[in-house]
Amino acid sequence: MIALGGCKASRKLSKSNKSYEIGEYYRSIEQYRKTYRKTKNRAVKAEIQFRIAEAYKYIGEYKRAASFYKTAITRGYSDPIAILHYADVLRADEEYDEAIANYQLYLKSQPGDQHALNGIASCDRTPKWLENPTRFQIEDLKSLNSKSSDYAGVYPGGHENQIVFTSSREGATGRRDSPITGQLYGDIFHSYYDKQKGRWEKPTLVDENLTVDTGDDEGAASFDSRGTTMYFTRCRYDKTKSMGAEIYTSSETGGTWSEPVRVELGGDTLLIAHPSLSADGRTLYFVSDMPGGFGGKDIWKAEGAPGAWGKPENMGPAINTPGNEMFPFIRDNGELYFSSDYRVGMGGLDIFKAVKDDKGQWKVENMKAPINSPGDDFAIYFIPGEDRGLFSTNRKGTRGDDIFSFVLPPKIFEIDGNVVDKENGNRLRNATIRLIGTDGTMLRLNADNGKFKFRLNPETEYVVAAFKKGYLNAKANETTIGLKDSKTFDVSLALTPTDAPIRVDNIYFDFGKWDLLPASKSALDSLVQILVQNPTVTIELMAHTDCRGDAKFNFELSQKRAESVVNYLVANGISPARLVAKGYGETAPKTVTRKLAEKYNFLKRGDELTCDFINKLPTEEEQEICHQINRRTEFRVLSTDYREKFAPSPKE
């Protein structure tokens, strides 16, 4: 009796394992639970706990999976793979510290394991990606999604008024629960957008004649560029066994879909699914576990034409990994998108983008948040020629698998500028503004009210310059090269008037000396730039002292200081013919400008800072301020019509 009971439990375990091995995860959980109750063997119980955890993991119920992995490990399940997969589901449930601890525990028995190393990297990067999302904007299509599984949405032919997607909602033709998910078999539904109501109409079966939608499990549709030929997955099943997943195709004529035809792709496998047709209709991408792959499920492609597809070709190790790669989508610009559960990511399945480099090699990158999440994210679709589309996710806040829309807003770069008088800070009217870019941009406008605005292109360097009669030119340099986000450049162009002396601040000398100190370099370099930007201008460099000390000494000192400034300008490429050095000593006290009067409340506009004026001030502090104002270096424009003279050639 005991022996017969043991055999019966063994047969049930074998039956449960068979369901699990052919992918009937939901059914296998039910069977494992029954077997668990009938066995007393501790090792068998631990193995059953592990298998149940694996099944829950595959159907995306990570919290339940974590509970069963933990129990299996506690009960002595010996295979360290349980620790690795336990870490995976902890990570998907955002338990990062505990996940890292288990990855590290697994690495003790399997040093250098890439899966575990990827898991640790994922735990480190996910919080950062969540905190600093990309520019994508996403939206849950709540008016379309149901409490059942809704996924793999596409716009046939790129027309956004109709969406086709897979769903196991009420109204599906399947009359039994899927042994994989426990939900009804999926069907292909469609819905039209009601512009007046601003929402999607109630979804219906895509094919009312039930040639596409049948009692089998259908889904994951892909269309040709016109939206009239559909490729989709059909999973057939009879009472005794699963007949696997295959790709079928059907064409629409007059609103009616033809009888689907199985796409012959060959290969020794029961899994050929998730089709994606290239824009030119000559390449079909799909998922399979046929021999010649790199892991569980791989992405393959077949070239040719409908009815004459060539031998399937694996996409290679640049795309496929030891894990599962699924839901390929080939964009009209040649970019390949797919989901993977092995690469460094944020959750169970993450969406990845693959682009070929100059050498034709695929370069893969994670699409990060908000496209990806700690949940499963998959089945992305782009509208042809647009940075918009759809994807599927079971992230927190959804009711299972839901369809989201996404859009990548264009990067907007602008210059928002103004033109001001450098001396008084007032905005200048009617200045001419020019914008020159390395992309060939050449724009010109009149800043009527002293303000201007330009829209800039990405990956471009610009020069923006301002011109006005009676003022020196001014310019600024900006670049959009390498910018990942939109940006507005605030540009203020300060024009120097040519009808009055202009103070050059921050030029320093030791007391009683004329050698320029290093701290003066920045101010003098700015003066060099002014002269470079205004090549027809000649100037007089004027040096002034305060009224203290010997007048003759002050005069000679100021002259030598003016000459020091001129020598610096000449050494930096300014023609000496454009420069005049003049020392004024204490003979030209400063007249207070509005700007100075606003800065010092004891001064008023028009005051001349003579020695008599200064000596009458009530405090030493105020007197010293005025002496500092008088100790200055200025320049004034002598002419604006200078032309460089070149030596004649030998022939002349």
Side-chain angles (χ1 to χ4, degrees):
M1 291 288 292
I2 294 173
L4 288 174
C7 290
K8 186 175 181 180
S10 178
R11 288 196 300 272
K12 286 185 176 292
L13 181 60
S14 177
K15 183 178 180 181
S16 303
N17 287 342
K18 182 178 180 181
S19 288
Y20 173 85
E21 288 164 2
I22 64 175
E24 295 178 352
Y25 302 119
Y26 185 83
R27 175 172 292 175
S28 70
I29 291 172
E30 295 179 337
Q31 294 173 342
Y32 279 131
R33 287 179 183 275
K34 292 178 181 179
T35 306
Y36 183 87
R37 290 193 293 267
K38 293 183 179 295
T39 184
K40 296 182 179 180
N41 186 299
R42 184 178 178 86
V44 174
K45 281 181 174 288
E47 180 183 352
I48 292 173
Q49 294 278 356
F50 170 72
R51 290 294 186 113
I52 292 175
E54 291 279 275
Y56 274 126
K57 174 177 179 285
Y58 280 118
I59 62 178
E61 295 193 26
Y62 299 123
K63 189 175 289 292
R64 287 187 175 183
S67 176
F68 281 93
Y69 280 127
K70 185 176 182 179
T71 302
I73 295 168
T74 302
R75 294 198 171 196
Y77 186 71
S78 59
D79 192 333
I81 198 70
I83 299 172
L84 177 65
H85 289 182
Y86 181 41
D88 285 340
V89 295
L90 287 170
R91 176 170 64 85
D93 202 35
E94 300 180 66
E95 300 289 345
Y96 299 119
D97 291 342
E98 193 174 352
I100 290 173
N102 279 276
Y103 283 127
Q104 292 172 338
L105 179 61
Y106 177 77
L107 285 169
K108 289 182 179 180
S109 63
Q110 305 292 324
D113 181 82
Q114 192 60 50
H115 185 149
L117 294 174
N118 286 350
I120 293 173
S122 298
C123 291
D124 176 63
R125 296 182 193 180
T126 298
K128 298 175 183 176
W129 288 346
L130 288 170
E131 186 176 346
N132 299 287
T134 66
R135 293 189 305 112
F136 280 101
Q137 298 174 359
I138 65 172
E139 181 182 1
D140 188 345
L141 300 184
K142 292 182 179 180
S143 65
L144 185 74
N145 292 313
S146 69
K147 63 182 180 180
S148 299
S149 180
D150 306 288
Y151 66 95
V154 298
Y155 297 125
H159 303 302
E160 297 175 71
N161 65 322
Q162 181 192 17
I163 187 171
V164 172
F165 62 100
T166 303
S167 180
S168 56
R169 65 181 60 210
E170 185 178 345
T173 58
R175 289 295 178 264
R176 65 171 65 188
D177 291 339
S178 167
I180 301 173
T181 65
Q183 298 188 32
L184 288 175
Y185 282 164
D187 272 328
I188 302 174
F189 285 76
H190 69 157
S191 175
Y192 290 90
Y193 191 75
D194 188 326
K195 291 185 178 180
Q196 292 183 339
K197 295 182 180 179
R199 58 182 296 161
W200 293 97
E201 296 177 348
K202 183 179 179 180
T204 58
L205 294 171
V206 74
D207 172 32
E208 295 180 355
N209 296 322
L210 302 183
T211 57
V212 171
D213 291 316
T214 68
D216 291 319
D217 200 359
E218 285 95 13
S222 177
F223 291 81
D224 66 355
S225 58
R226 295 185 301 169
T228 57
T229 298
M230 174 171 56
Y231 289 78
F232 64 95
T233 306
R234 175 175 285 170
C235 299
R236 293 187 295 150
Y237 183 88
D238 65 19
K239 293 182 178 180
T240 59
K241 64 177 181 178
S242 170
M243 299 173 68
E246 300 166 310
I247 294 175
Y248 284 74
T249 183
S250 176
S251 297
E252 182 187 30
T253 304
T256 300
W257 289 96
S258 64
E259 183 68 32
V261 176
R262 186 165 64 89
V263 177
E264 297 291 345
L265 292 170
D268 182 17
T269 179
L270 291 176
L271 175 65
I272 296 179
H274 302 170
S276 179
L277 188 67
S278 63
D280 62 6
R282 296 183 177 275
T283 307
L284 184 65
Y285 296 81
F286 60 95
V287 171
S288 181
D289 60 358
M290 66 178 66
F294 292 85
K297 300 176 180 67
D298 278 8
I299 297 174
W300 297 70
K301 70 175 182 178
E303 297 180 345
W309 295 108
K311 182 179 179 181
E313 176 185 347
N314 190 282
M315 293 296 292
I319 300 296
N320 294 310
T321 69
N324 295 296
E325 279 66 49
M326 298 183 289
F327 293 98
F329 175 77
I330 187 68
R331 199 173 171 185
D332 57 336
N333 63 5
E335 295 172 351
L336 178 65
Y337 293 79
F338 60 93
S339 290
S340 175
D341 64 1
Y342 183 85
R343 298 173 180 272
V344 175
M346 299 179 65
L349 287 172
D350 267 26
I351 298 173
F352 291 82
K353 170 184 176 181
V355 180
K356 284 188 176 180
D357 61 17
D358 295 338
K359 297 180 181 179
Q361 302 299 311
W362 289 107
K363 300 298 180 183
V364 178
E365 63 177 297
N366 190 295
M367 293 197 70
K368 305 176 185 176
I371 295 295
N372 287 319
S373 71
D376 290 324
D377 305 285
F378 57 99
I380 197 168
Y381 161 84
F382 280 84
I383 299 169
E386 302 272 357
D387 286 329
R388 298 184 294 125
L390 305 164
F391 72 100
S392 305
T393 181
N394 68 354
R395 66 189 60 194
K396 288 182 179 179
T398 62
R399 293 183 290 176
D401 295 328
D402 276 2
I403 299 171
F404 278 54
S405 65
F406 70 85
V407 60
L408 181 64
K411 287 189 283 189
I412 298 176
F413 304 116
E414 291 182 324
I415 283 180
D416 191 357
N418 60 84
V419 189
V420 298
D421 186 306
K422 186 174 183 180
E423 282 301 283
N424 57 35
N426 292 338
R427 191 175 294 162
L428 290 176
R429 300 174 63 87
N430 298 318
T432 298
I433 312 297
R434 293 188 63 188
L435 181 73
I436 302 173
T438 53
D439 61 349
T441 297
M442 294 188 69
L443 300 176
R444 182 188 184 105
L445 60 79
N446 187 51
D448 295 336
N449 59 355
K451 293 185 69 65
F452 60 91
K453 182 173 286 189
F454 291 106
R455 179 67 66 89
L456 308 181
N457 294 323
E459 303 303 317
T460 306
E461 294 180 336
Y462 290 93
V463 175
V464 56
F467 309 84
K468 184 174 174 62
K469 188 175 181 180
Y471 290 85
L472 299 180
N473 306 333
K475 72 175 183 179
N477 297 284
E478 302 292 355
T479 180
T480 60
I481 294 176
L483 295 182
K484 296 181 179 180
D485 295 313
S486 300
K487 182 176 181 179
T488 297
F489 299 89
D490 294 318
V491 175
S492 182
L493 297 176
L495 303 191
T496 302
T498 59
D499 60 354
I502 306 301
R503 181 185 177 103
V504 184
D505 292 322
N506 303 320
I507 295 182
Y508 303 105
F509 303 92
D510 282 332
F511 179 76
K513 297 184 178 180
W514 54 86
D515 295 322
L516 286 165
L517 294 178
S520 306
K521 184 177 183 301
S522 177
L524 290 174
D525 287 345
S526 297
L527 184 54
V528 170
Q529 288 302 310
I530 291 175
L531 293 169
V532 169
Q533 294 168 15
N534 297 269
T536 65
V537 167
T538 63
I539 65 170
E540 179 184 83
L541 259 300
M542 303 178 291
H544 304 269
T545 66
D546 60 36
C547 62
R548 295 175 294 188
D550 180 74
K552 182 180 178 182
F553 176 81
N554 284 341
F555 180 82
E556 292 175 349
L557 178 63
S558 64
Q559 180 63 32
K560 290 178 179 178
R561 286 180 171 178
E563 290 172 355
S564 293
V565 173
V566 167
N567 290 338
Y568 183 92
L569 299 178
V570 171
N572 282 272
I574 305 302
S575 171
R578 300 176 60 194
L579 306 170
V580 175
K582 179 67 175 176
Y584 286 85
E586 60 189 68
T587 63
K590 181 71 174 178
T591 298
V592 175
T593 63
R594 186 177 70 178
K595 197 173 183 179
L596 285 172
E598 291 173 350
K599 184 175 182 180
Y600 303 108
N601 59 14
F602 65 92
L603 298 175
K604 64 179 183 293
R605 187 176 181 182
D607 287 342
E608 188 177 11
L609 303 183
T610 63
C611 268
D612 287 342
F613 177 88
I614 295 173
N615 291 333
K616 291 178 182 178
L617 293 172
T619 67
E620 289 186 5
E621 181 183 2
E622 291 176 349
Q623 292 176 8
E624 182 57 36
I625 288 172
C626 291
H627 286 310
Q628 290 175 359
I629 292 173
N630 275 334
R631 294 194 302 270
R632 67 196 188 277
T633 301
E634 298 175 319
F635 74 90
R636 66 180 175 185
V637 176
L638 299 176
S639 70
T640 59
D641 58 357
Y642 174 81
R643 294 290 182 271
E644 191 77 43
K645 294 180 180 179
F646 297 97
S649 67
K651 292 183 180 180
E652 296 175 337

